Amino acid sequence: MPESRHRRKGKQRPRPGKAAGPPRNPTPSPAWVPITGSVLLGLGVLIILAGYFTAISGPILGQNFPLVLGFVLLAIGFGFLTQWR
């Protein structure tokens, strides 16, 4: 009959280290972060609406210039507001 493996006695395997958790109290954002994010969101919406109500066109994108610019400003403003603590 084959012999079974014996468990190691006395030797312990090293346990994997725990990953460090997030910092307990992250530093708050400066006051300009939410203001800048909100202004960029509002400006993006206004540019998109102005593009629909008026005949604004740019040299590169033509008719879609206000739409693209407005969405870029919305994305940047949203990026600012995701970093707000």
Side-chain angles (χ1 to χ4, degrees):
M1 230 173 160
E3 290 185 25
S4 61
R5 289 183 170 177
H6 295 289
R7 293 186 184 192
R8 297 180 198 171
K9 292 187 179 179
K11 284 188 175 181
Q12 299 252 344
R13 292 184 186 169
R15 293 186 177 185
K18 290 186 177 180
R24 296 279 180 191
N25 292 324
T27 57
S29 299
W32 60 268
V33 172
I35 295 170
T36 305
S38 301
V39 166
L40 287 173
L41 286 177
L43 191 61
V45 169
L46 287 177
I47 288 177
I48 290 173
L49 290 177
Y52 279 120
F53 291 131
T54 62
I56 300 173
S57 65
I60 298 170
L61 299 173
Q63 292 284 89
N64 293 331
F65 180 72
L67 186 65
V68 171
L69 180 64
F71 275 115
V72 166
L73 289 177
L74 285 172
I76 294 171
F78 183 72
F80 266 95
L81 290 179
T82 57
Q83 300 301 317
W84 180 27
R85 294 184 192 152

